[in-house]
Amino acid sequence: MTNYRICVCFHRRFKVGEAVPPAEIRDLFNKYSEGGSHMNGNQLGKFMCEVQGENVDGEQVVEQVIQKRHHISRFARHNLSLDDFHQYLFSSHLNPPITSQVNQDMTAPLSRYFIYTGHNSYLTGNQLSSDCSDIPIIKALNRGVRVVELDIWPNSNKDDVHVLHGRTLTTPVELIKCLKSIKEHAFTASPYPVIITLEDHLTPDLQAKVAEMLTQTFGDMLFCPNAENLREFPSPEELKYRILISTKPPKEYLEAKSISVNSKKMMKSKDFDEDDSGKEANDVAKTHNGDDTGDSDPNQQSDDESYYYCSPELCPSAASSYKCLIAIHAGKPKGSLKEALKVENDKVRRLSLSEQSLEKAAESLGTNLIRFTQKNFLRVYPKGTRFNSSNYKPLNGWMHGAQMVAFNMQGYGKYLWLMHGMFRSNGGCGYVKKPDFLMNVGPNNDVFNPKDRLSVKKTLKVKVYLGDGWRMDFKQTHFDMYSPPDFYVRIGIAGVPADEIMKKTKILEDNWIPYWEEEFTFPLTVPELALLRVEVNEYDMSETDDFAGQTCLPVSELKQGIRAVPLYSRKGEKYNSVRLLMRFEFI
């Protein structure tokens, strides 16, 4: 029983029990136990095959459940009670909604994957006045982020290199500290390659110093191609435990110094026009003179050429010692965006666009973007007015094949939840293989057009049975001072515009263990990019509803059947106990 005080003399009492099996779970237990009081391994195996779509050893699962629940020897019991069966289904450890293992082909070229990408990875908070530190870099790497961005500037004495958000009040951190932390934590969450994107504002002598720092810190972990430009990139599998550097070659930084003279002219350009009201000077420079197309000098490379570790001692000058460490070349565009999106057979390059530039390009150059990203890298970054480190909708970038949709990982909110959800795919390794439709070329050299109206490919049916765990993870009065919470679930799809929708369950009053038992259907035209959004709130009649947990799951990886779905905080941290019992079917 739980007491809630109404006033000095009066209390309201509410009974809080344990979660009991819903009627449908009881019916399934009766069916597969053949009317008995217990379910043996063979019967559980049949249930797993027919309902859960998994071929597993039922005896082994029974043993796991018995040991977890009762801490007794496997020789003591060989079957499950109804309560054991329910608790097994409601265990997010034993019965998760998606796999925790890498399950995709990792042998395709690197450009054929979406990559978990950070923006201004060193910032602890907002874009204007927060501290710069290696701590958010470590947190991002431990979450599985594979692309780390560092803005590098001369220190006040011009004799060392700092990481900071230039022309703002952010306090700097030494580059070498960031590099050492990257080396230590790069492969904690995933063995697949880490890419460091450098926004370089250095003189040639300091670039040479950075080259020395990189080689001394990472040694033979650094991947350096033996040609200035690659025709195709190796695969994530080939690049396991390697560090890649991506930035503009040194000569292009010297050219970029003309920004103060050319920025007004560039801002009038048809393809790169941006709304720069309120932007930092640094962001204006990046938007109008920093969009990348790579070098103009082609270098051929035969298919059988190998890669080597390059050190400054092997390079004839300070500029080339820095340049030979660059694995993924970036550079400013020359001419229109349409020209910048032309695919060159003899090299792979990186192009960067702000979120607004991508939106404008998508209007008239959607198929150009698709062709470009089939071979080359496209990086999308937040507009400069996102001073509070908020984020933008990532689906537009993914729809157009952008590998590096760069996000402020130190923030939080709905769009960051989508990013977390996408990269729960493929065992959370930080690389998600692009759907085939983004890579295919038709008989008439045609490619996927994001503007095409598509028919429904499959329908996802979702049933929300119940939720539990709030009573363990939250204080009694967290949601309401005078009564238990009134929970409801918002559930829907984030994906291409035709698939996006949100629905919600009824509100269940005064209940720590709400039983909704409601079903929803979601027709999907592009299930490959669909994310299932789940958000639980507590209804408040007089104020804003209280947040009670969320998750986002890739539809393409959902396991069919009845699953335990763990929920996360606003910041994306997993709750210890809060979870939902749900059923997924594809029809």
Side-chain angles (χ1 to χ4, degrees):
M1 300 290 286
T2 304
N3 292 323
Y4 289 86
R5 178 171 290 181
I6 302 302
C7 59
V8 175
C9 302
F10 298 97
H11 293 76
R12 293 178 72 192
R13 246 177 215 194
F14 295 89
K15 186 176 181 180
V16 179
E18 295 294 322
V20 298
E24 190 173 320
I25 305 300
R26 292 197 299 271
D27 291 343
L28 285 167
F29 181 84
N30 289 332
K31 175 182 176 181
Y32 286 94
S33 67
E34 300 172 1
S37 60
H38 288 80
M39 181 184 290
N40 63 36
N42 289 334
Q43 292 166 336
L44 181 62
K46 187 178 180 183
F47 164 81
M48 296 295 291
C49 179
E50 295 179 359
V51 177
Q52 306 292 86
E54 293 181 283
N55 290 313
V56 298
D57 184 343
E59 296 285 354
Q60 192 175 57
V61 175
V62 168
E63 181 182 333
Q64 287 179 318
V65 176
I66 295 299
Q67 289 184 342
K68 181 173 173 34
R69 295 208 70 220
H70 303 287
H71 308 289
I72 60 177
S73 165
R74 65 187 180 92
F75 299 107
R77 278 183 54 185
H78 303 279
N79 47 42
L80 303 179
S81 66
L82 171 61
D83 191 45
D84 292 331
F85 178 65
H86 176 233
Q87 291 304 318
Y88 162 66
L89 291 176
F90 211 3
S91 167
S92 58
H93 173 67
L94 295 176
N95 187 37
I98 60 174
T99 182
S100 60
Q101 305 298 317
V102 172
N103 54 69
Q104 298 176 1
D105 173 26
M106 301 301 287
T107 62
L110 201 67
S111 56
R112 296 188 184 182
Y113 297 83
F114 298 129
I115 311 174
Y116 206 176
T117 302
H119 173 254
N120 291 348
S121 306
Y122 49 87
L123 288 179
T124 58
N126 70 67
Q127 303 285 309
L128 296 180
S129 60
S130 66
D131 291 335
C132 301
S133 169
D134 63 329
I135 293 175
I137 297 172
I138 294 169
K139 286 181 178 178
L141 291 170
N142 289 342
R143 184 182 282 278
V145 170
R146 299 290 84 192
V147 183
V148 172
E149 182 188 29
L150 303 177
D151 285 91
I152 50 178
W153 295 77
N155 68 351
S156 57
N157 294 328
K158 312 295 184 186
D159 60 357
D160 202 358
V161 182
H162 279 169
V163 174
L164 75 154
H165 200 198
R167 306 186 183 95
T168 67
L169 301 176
T170 55
T171 56
V173 60
E174 290 182 346
L175 172 62
I176 190 64
K177 185 175 183 180
C178 295
L179 297 180
K180 287 179 177 178
S181 293
I182 291 171
K183 180 182 180 181
E184 184 177 351
H185 297 274
F187 306 110
T188 302
S190 169
Y192 292 104
V194 167
I195 301 169
I196 303 174
T197 59
L198 298 176
E199 286 292 331
D200 181 343
H201 307 273
L202 302 177
T203 55
D205 59 322
L206 287 178
Q207 287 175 343
K209 185 164 187 171
V210 169
E212 184 179 0
M213 286 184 193
L214 291 170
T215 53
Q216 288 185 354
T217 302
F218 297 118
D220 57 8
M221 294 169 68
L222 277 176
F223 169 79
C224 303
N226 66 350
E228 186 176 341
N229 293 291
L230 290 174
R231 299 179 65 181
E232 188 173 64
F233 251 86
S235 69
E237 191 67 30
E238 293 174 277
L239 292 170
K240 271 185 172 179
Y241 302 106
R242 303 299 292 272
I243 304 288
L244 284 70
I245 305 300
S246 179
T247 187
K248 304 182 190 76
K251 66 179 184 181
E252 303 205 15
Y253 286 107
L254 298 175
E255 294 169 4
K257 295 194 182 283
S258 63
I259 181 63
S260 59
V261 177
N262 295 330
S263 59
K264 290 184 180 180
K265 180 179 179 181
M266 293 295 290
M267 288 166 66
K268 293 178 182 178
S269 162
K270 179 179 179 182
D271 288 316
F272 298 95
D273 184 37
E274 302 273 358
D275 175 10
D276 65 309
S277 57
K279 285 189 178 182
E280 307 120 318
N282 190 37
D283 189 71
V284 176
K286 286 195 290 184
T287 300
H288 300 294
N289 211 39
D291 293 325
D292 311 324
T293 58
D295 274 348
S296 57
D297 300 326
N299 283 280
Q300 297 291 334
Q301 180 200 18
S302 63
D303 293 337
D304 61 350
E305 283 182 321
S306 60
Y307 309 103
Y308 69 91
Y309 159 62
C310 175
S311 67
E313 291 80 10
L314 301 176
C315 302
S317 68
S320 59
S321 71
Y322 183 71
K323 188 171 184 176
C324 75
L325 299 181
I326 301 172
I328 304 175
H329 282 230
K332 67 183 182 182
K334 299 170 178 64
S336 69
L337 179 56
K338 188 174 182 179
E339 288 291 318
L341 290 171
K342 283 187 175 179
V343 178
E344 299 171 78
N345 292 327
D346 56 0
K347 62 182 174 183
V348 180
R349 53 198 170 88
R350 194 194 88 203
L351 169 67
S352 289
L353 297 176
S354 70
E355 59 177 286
Q356 306 111 303
S357 293
L358 177 68
E359 288 172 9
K360 292 174 183 177
E363 286 298 312
S364 58
L365 298 171
T367 54
N368 298 66
L369 287 165
I370 298 292
R371 291 182 196 280
F372 182 83
T373 56
Q374 288 182 338
K375 179 180 178 181
N376 299 284
F377 292 91
L378 177 61
R379 175 178 171 269
V380 184
Y381 59 90
K383 61 186 178 183
T385 51
R386 295 189 180 277
F387 302 130
N388 62 349
S389 293
S390 63
N391 286 298
Y392 53 100
K393 189 175 181 178
L395 270 303
N396 199 28
W398 293 330
M399 280 171 53
H400 291 87
Q403 295 88 348
M404 301 179 183
V405 178
F407 260 40
N408 294 309
M409 297 296 172
Q410 73 276 29
Y412 55 91
K414 179 178 73 174
Y415 294 144
L416 190 54
W417 301 345
L418 301 185
M419 182 66 67
H420 292 162
M422 168 63 87
F423 288 100
R424 288 192 178 106
S425 300
N426 204 20
C429 75
Y431 285 83
V432 175
K433 198 159 189 288
K434 291 191 202 178
D436 289 341
F437 69 82
L438 287 174
M439 299 304 303
N440 292 341
V441 179
N444 298 317
N445 202 32
D446 52 320
V447 296
F448 172 71
N449 188 342
K451 288 189 172 183
D452 286 347
R453 296 187 66 177
L454 304 173
S455 57
V456 171
K457 189 179 289 187
K458 66 171 64 173
T459 297
L460 171 65
K461 187 161 68 171
V462 179
K463 186 165 186 175
V464 185
Y465 293 106
L466 74 149
D468 195 11
W470 293 280
R471 58 203 169 102
M472 282 79 88
D473 291 351
F474 293 87
K475 291 182 179 178
Q476 173 184 312
T477 55
H478 177 86
F479 297 105
D480 197 315
M481 290 290 293
Y482 308 110
S483 66
D486 308 324
F487 289 128
Y488 66 92
V489 181
R490 294 183 69 239
I491 185 166
I493 298 293
V496 300
D499 293 346
E500 293 197 329
I501 191 171
M502 287 298 290
K503 303 178 181 181
K504 75 176 190 176
T505 66
K506 58 183 175 287
I507 298 166
L508 294 181
E509 296 183 353
D510 299 334
N511 204 325
W512 280 103
I513 308 175
Y515 286 73
W516 295 282
E517 300 194 63
E518 294 188 46
E519 194 169 85
F520 305 90
T521 57
F522 302 104
L524 303 172
T525 62
V526 186
E528 299 91 338
L529 293 180
L531 300 167
L532 180 68
R533 278 197 61 210
V534 181
E535 183 180 335
V536 180
N537 291 297
E538 197 272 337
Y539 175 71
D540 194 315
M541 186 181 298
S542 58
E543 298 178 3
T544 304
D545 292 352
D546 295 316
F547 174 83
Q550 60 81 24
T551 192
C552 192
L553 298 168
V555 168
S556 62
E557 297 218 357
L558 284 176
K559 295 182 177 182
Q560 76 172 55
I562 300 164
R563 304 290 174 178
V565 178
L567 297 187
Y568 298 77
S569 71
R570 287 185 187 275
K571 294 184 178 181
E573 296 164 353
K574 187 178 179 181
Y575 291 128
N576 291 328
S577 309
V578 179
R579 65 208 187 279
L580 301 177
L581 187 65
M582 305 176 72
R583 184 168 185 168
F584 307 114
E585 295 178 82
F586 290 99
I587 56 177

